[in-house]
mmCIF file of all heavy atoms in Angstrom:
data_model
loop_
_atom_site.group_PDB
_atom_site.id
_atom_site.type_symbol
_atom_site.label_atom_id
_atom_site.label_comp_id
_atom_site.label_asym_id
_atom_site.label_seq_id
_atom_site.Cartn_x
_atom_site.Cartn_y
_atom_site.Cartn_z
ATOM 1 N N PRO A 265 -82.730 -23.793 -39.762
ATOM 2 C CA PRO A 265 -84.135 -23.440 -39.515
ATOM 3 C C PRO A 265 -84.376 -21.943 -39.621
ATOM 4 O O PRO A 265 -83.498 -21.130 -39.320
ATOM 5 C CB PRO A 265 -84.376 -23.951 -38.090
ATOM 6 C CG PRO A 265 -83.377 -25.054 -37.909
ATOM 7 C CD PRO A 265 -82.159 -24.608 -38.675
ATOM 8 N N LYS A 266 -85.587 -21.565 -40.029
ATOM 9 C CA LYS A 266 -85.928 -20.154 -40.195
ATOM 10 C C LYS A 266 -85.745 -19.374 -38.897
ATOM 11 O O LYS A 266 -85.395 -18.189 -38.910
ATOM 12 C CB LYS A 266 -87.362 -20.023 -40.693
ATOM 13 C CG LYS A 266 -87.571 -20.536 -42.115
ATOM 14 C CD LYS A 266 -89.021 -20.371 -42.550
ATOM 15 C CE LYS A 266 -89.222 -20.887 -43.971
ATOM 16 N NZ LYS A 266 -90.639 -20.756 -44.411
ATOM 17 N N ALA A 267 -85.984 -20.030 -37.769
ATOM 18 C CA ALA A 267 -85.843 -19.343 -36.479
ATOM 19 C C ALA A 267 -84.405 -18.911 -36.208
ATOM 20 O O ALA A 267 -84.155 -18.063 -35.340
ATOM 21 C CB ALA A 267 -86.326 -20.258 -35.354
ATOM 22 N N LEU A 268 -83.442 -19.489 -36.953
ATOM 23 C CA LEU A 268 -82.035 -19.139 -36.759
ATOM 24 C C LEU A 268 -81.480 -18.342 -37.922
ATOM 25 O O LEU A 268 -80.255 -18.231 -38.075
ATOM 26 C CB LEU A 268 -81.212 -20.416 -36.554
ATOM 27 C CG LEU A 268 -81.481 -21.169 -35.260
ATOM 28 C CD1 LEU A 268 -80.755 -22.503 -35.248
ATOM 29 C CD2 LEU A 268 -81.074 -20.333 -34.052
ATOM 30 N N ALA A 269 -82.350 -17.769 -38.750
ATOM 31 C CA ALA A 269 -81.890 -16.991 -39.897
ATOM 32 C C ALA A 269 -81.005 -15.825 -39.463
ATOM 33 O O ALA A 269 -80.096 -15.412 -40.192
ATOM 34 C CB ALA A 269 -83.086 -16.489 -40.696
ATOM 35 N N TRP A 270 -81.235 -15.280 -38.266
ATOM 36 C CA TRP A 270 -80.426 -14.170 -37.768
ATOM 37 C C TRP A 270 -78.948 -14.545 -37.628
ATOM 38 O O TRP A 270 -78.071 -13.666 -37.686
ATOM 39 C CB TRP A 270 -80.953 -13.686 -36.415
ATOM 40 C CG TRP A 270 -81.006 -14.773 -35.380
ATOM 41 C CD1 TRP A 270 -82.045 -15.599 -35.116
ATOM 42 C CD2 TRP A 270 -79.951 -15.168 -34.485
ATOM 43 N NE1 TRP A 270 -81.731 -16.483 -34.108
ATOM 44 C CE2 TRP A 270 -80.439 -16.234 -33.709
ATOM 45 C CE3 TRP A 270 -78.653 -14.701 -34.266
ATOM 46 C CZ2 TRP A 270 -79.664 -16.863 -32.736
ATOM 47 C CZ3 TRP A 270 -77.877 -15.329 -33.286
ATOM 48 C CH2 TRP A 270 -78.390 -16.390 -32.541
ATOM 49 N N SER A 271 -78.662 -15.841 -37.454
ATOM 50 C CA SER A 271 -77.276 -16.283 -37.238
ATOM 51 C C SER A 271 -76.490 -16.416 -38.534
ATOM 52 O O SER A 271 -75.293 -16.721 -38.503
ATOM 53 C CB SER A 271 -77.263 -17.616 -36.488
ATOM 54 O OG SER A 271 -77.825 -18.653 -37.281
ATOM 55 N N LEU A 272 -77.133 -16.196 -39.693
ATOM 56 C CA LEU A 272 -76.421 -16.292 -40.961
ATOM 57 C C LEU A 272 -75.402 -15.168 -41.135
ATOM 58 O O LEU A 272 -74.403 -15.330 -41.824
ATOM 59 C CB LEU A 272 -77.421 -16.277 -42.129
ATOM 60 C CG LEU A 272 -78.224 -17.567 -42.318
ATOM 61 C CD1 LEU A 272 -79.308 -17.372 -43.353
ATOM 62 C CD2 LEU A 272 -77.308 -18.712 -42.716
ATOM 63 N N ASP A 273 -75.648 -14.027 -40.526
ATOM 64 C CA ASP A 273 -74.685 -12.926 -40.559
ATOM 65 C C ASP A 273 -73.561 -13.260 -39.593
ATOM 66 O O ASP A 273 -73.758 -13.251 -38.376
ATOM 67 C CB ASP A 273 -75.379 -11.624 -40.156
ATOM 68 C CG ASP A 273 -74.476 -10.411 -40.332
ATOM 69 O OD1 ASP A 273 -73.368 -10.574 -40.877
ATOM 70 O OD2 ASP A 273 -74.879 -9.314 -39.920
ATOM 71 N N PRO A 274 -72.368 -13.581 -40.081
ATOM 72 C CA PRO A 274 -71.322 -14.094 -39.189
ATOM 73 C C PRO A 274 -70.726 -13.034 -38.272
ATOM 74 O O PRO A 274 -70.251 -11.996 -38.722
ATOM 75 C CB PRO A 274 -70.259 -14.635 -40.170
ATOM 76 C CG PRO A 274 -70.470 -13.854 -41.416
ATOM 77 C CD PRO A 274 -71.931 -13.547 -41.489
ATOM 78 N N ALA A 275 -70.808 -13.292 -36.988
ATOM 79 C CA ALA A 275 -70.204 -12.431 -35.957
ATOM 80 C C ALA A 275 -70.452 -10.956 -36.227
ATOM 81 O O ALA A 275 -69.514 -10.161 -36.350
ATOM 82 C CB ALA A 275 -68.703 -12.719 -35.862
ATOM 83 N N PRO A 276 -71.715 -10.512 -36.298
ATOM 84 C CA PRO A 276 -71.999 -9.117 -36.646
ATOM 85 C C PRO A 276 -71.510 -8.124 -35.607
ATOM 86 O O PRO A 276 -71.373 -6.935 -35.910
ATOM 87 C CB PRO A 276 -73.532 -9.099 -36.754
ATOM 88 C CG PRO A 276 -73.987 -10.206 -35.861
ATOM 89 C CD PRO A 276 -72.945 -11.286 -36.016
ATOM 90 N N TRP A 277 -71.239 -8.582 -34.409
ATOM 91 C CA TRP A 277 -70.775 -7.670 -33.358
ATOM 92 C C TRP A 277 -69.311 -7.280 -33.525
ATOM 93 O O TRP A 277 -68.825 -6.367 -32.886
ATOM 94 C CB TRP A 277 -70.956 -8.336 -31.991
ATOM 95 C CG TRP A 277 -70.138 -9.593 -31.848
ATOM 96 C CD1 TRP A 277 -68.836 -9.695 -31.448
ATOM 97 C CD2 TRP A 277 -70.557 -10.926 -32.121
ATOM 98 N NE1 TRP A 277 -68.420 -11.011 -31.454
ATOM 99 C CE2 TRP A 277 -69.470 -11.785 -31.857
ATOM 100 C CE3 TRP A 277 -71.751 -11.485 -32.566
ATOM 101 C CZ2 TRP A 277 -69.537 -13.169 -32.033
ATOM 102 C CZ3 TRP A 277 -71.823 -12.864 -32.726
ATOM 103 C CH2 TRP A 277 -70.728 -13.689 -32.453
ATOM 104 N N PHE A 278 -68.577 -7.979 -34.404
ATOM 105 C CA PHE A 278 -67.140 -7.759 -34.546
ATOM 106 C C PHE A 278 -66.907 -6.688 -35.603
ATOM 107 O O PHE A 278 -66.573 -6.967 -36.741
ATOM 108 C CB PHE A 278 -66.446 -9.065 -34.927
ATOM 109 C CG PHE A 278 -64.963 -9.066 -34.677
ATOM 110 C CD1 PHE A 278 -64.477 -9.093 -33.378
ATOM 111 C CD2 PHE A 278 -64.051 -9.066 -35.715
ATOM 112 C CE1 PHE A 278 -63.115 -9.115 -33.120
ATOM 113 C CE2 PHE A 278 -62.679 -9.088 -35.466
ATOM 114 C CZ PHE A 278 -62.214 -9.107 -34.172
ATOM 115 N N GLY A 279 -67.106 -5.427 -35.242
ATOM 116 C CA GLY A 279 -66.969 -4.333 -36.181
ATOM 117 C C GLY A 279 -65.540 -3.840 -36.278
ATOM 118 O O GLY A 279 -64.709 -4.083 -35.416
ATOM 119 N N GLU A 280 -65.254 -3.111 -37.346
ATOM 120 C CA GLU A 280 -63.902 -2.613 -37.592
ATOM 121 C C GLU A 280 -63.737 -1.138 -37.213
ATOM 122 O O GLU A 280 -62.680 -0.577 -37.379
ATOM 123 C CB GLU A 280 -63.557 -2.782 -39.084
ATOM 124 C CG GLU A 280 -63.619 -4.226 -39.568
ATOM 125 C CD GLU A 280 -62.565 -5.090 -38.898
ATOM 126 O OE1 GLU A 280 -61.546 -4.544 -38.426
ATOM 127 O OE2 GLU A 280 -62.766 -6.305 -38.833
ATOM 128 N N SER A 281 -64.793 -0.518 -36.723
ATOM 129 C CA SER A 281 -64.730 0.914 -36.486
ATOM 130 C C SER A 281 -65.056 1.255 -35.035
ATOM 131 O O SER A 281 -65.912 0.638 -34.413
ATOM 132 C CB SER A 281 -65.722 1.634 -37.408
ATOM 133 O OG SER A 281 -65.878 2.980 -37.027
ATOM 134 N N HIS A 282 -64.376 2.285 -34.520
ATOM 135 C CA HIS A 282 -64.677 2.789 -33.179
ATOM 136 C C HIS A 282 -66.108 3.321 -33.101
ATOM 137 O O HIS A 282 -66.723 3.337 -32.041
ATOM 138 C CB HIS A 282 -63.718 3.932 -32.823
ATOM 139 C CG HIS A 282 -62.489 3.486 -32.096
ATOM 140 N ND1 HIS A 282 -62.500 2.717 -30.951
ATOM 141 C CD2 HIS A 282 -61.171 3.712 -32.365
ATOM 142 C CE1 HIS A 282 -61.273 2.507 -30.531
ATOM 143 N NE2 HIS A 282 -60.443 3.080 -31.386
ATOM 144 N N GLN A 283 -66.625 3.760 -34.242
ATOM 145 C CA GLN A 283 -67.914 4.426 -34.251
ATOM 146 C C GLN A 283 -69.090 3.448 -34.160
ATOM 147 O O GLN A 283 -70.201 3.837 -33.809
ATOM 148 C CB GLN A 283 -68.054 5.251 -35.539
ATOM 149 C CG GLN A 283 -66.848 6.135 -35.838
ATOM 150 C CD GLN A 283 -66.489 7.045 -34.683
ATOM 151 O OE1 GLN A 283 -67.378 7.620 -34.061
ATOM 152 N NE2 GLN A 283 -65.195 7.166 -34.385
ATOM 153 N N GLU A 284 -68.855 2.199 -34.527
ATOM 154 C CA GLU A 284 -69.961 1.259 -34.579
ATOM 155 C C GLU A 284 -70.395 0.827 -33.178
ATOM 156 O O GLU A 284 -69.574 0.473 -32.340
ATOM 157 C CB GLU A 284 -69.566 0.018 -35.394
ATOM 158 C CG GLU A 284 -69.419 0.306 -36.882
ATOM 159 C CD GLU A 284 -69.032 -0.956 -37.633
ATOM 160 O OE1 GLU A 284 -67.906 -1.424 -37.444
ATOM 161 O OE2 GLU A 284 -69.870 -1.466 -38.404
ATOM 162 N N GLN A 285 -71.678 0.862 -32.949
ATOM 163 C CA GLN A 285 -72.248 0.368 -31.701
ATOM 164 C C GLN A 285 -73.126 -0.835 -32.057
ATOM 165 O O GLN A 285 -74.329 -0.715 -32.262
ATOM 166 C CB GLN A 285 -73.073 1.475 -31.027
ATOM 167 C CG GLN A 285 -72.261 2.693 -30.622
ATOM 168 C CD GLN A 285 -71.238 2.364 -29.549
ATOM 169 O OE1 GLN A 285 -71.496 1.546 -28.660
ATOM 170 N NE2 GLN A 285 -70.072 2.989 -29.621
ATOM 171 N N LEU A 286 -72.505 -1.972 -32.174
ATOM 172 C CA LEU A 286 -73.212 -3.170 -32.623
ATOM 173 C C LEU A 286 -73.825 -3.898 -31.434
ATOM 174 O O LEU A 286 -73.224 -3.970 -30.353
ATOM 175 C CB LEU A 286 -72.254 -4.088 -33.376
ATOM 176 C CG LEU A 286 -71.608 -3.438 -34.610
ATOM 177 C CD1 LEU A 286 -70.558 -4.355 -35.213
ATOM 178 C CD2 LEU A 286 -72.665 -3.106 -35.647
ATOM 179 N N PRO A 287 -75.013 -4.449 -31.577
ATOM 180 C CA PRO A 287 -75.709 -5.059 -30.437
ATOM 181 C C PRO A 287 -75.030 -6.325 -29.941
ATOM 182 O O PRO A 287 -74.454 -7.088 -30.718
ATOM 183 C CB PRO A 287 -77.099 -5.382 -31.015
ATOM 184 C CG PRO A 287 -76.881 -5.504 -32.488
ATOM 185 C CD PRO A 287 -75.801 -4.522 -32.832
ATOM 186 N N TRP A 288 -75.084 -6.507 -28.665
ATOM 187 C CA TRP A 288 -74.593 -7.735 -28.037
ATOM 188 C C TRP A 288 -75.556 -8.148 -26.926
ATOM 189 O O TRP A 288 -75.869 -7.331 -26.070
ATOM 190 C CB TRP A 288 -73.189 -7.550 -27.461
ATOM 191 C CG TRP A 288 -72.738 -8.802 -26.748
ATOM 192 C CD1 TRP A 288 -72.715 -9.030 -25.401
ATOM 193 C CD2 TRP A 288 -72.312 -10.014 -27.365
ATOM 194 N NE1 TRP A 288 -72.291 -10.304 -25.127
ATOM 195 C CE2 TRP A 288 -72.051 -10.935 -26.319
ATOM 196 C CE3 TRP A 288 -72.149 -10.433 -28.684
ATOM 197 C CZ2 TRP A 288 -71.610 -12.233 -26.561
ATOM 198 C CZ3 TRP A 288 -71.709 -11.724 -28.914
ATOM 199 C CH2 TRP A 288 -71.442 -12.599 -27.857
#
Side-chain angles (χ1 to χ4, degrees):
K266 292 180 180 179
L268 292 172
W270 57 269
S271 66
L272 286 172
D273 187 6
W277 62 86
F278 198 71
E280 301 295 337
S281 168
H282 268 307
Q283 311 306 318
E284 290 180 291
Q285 297 295 324
L286 301 174
W288 177 258

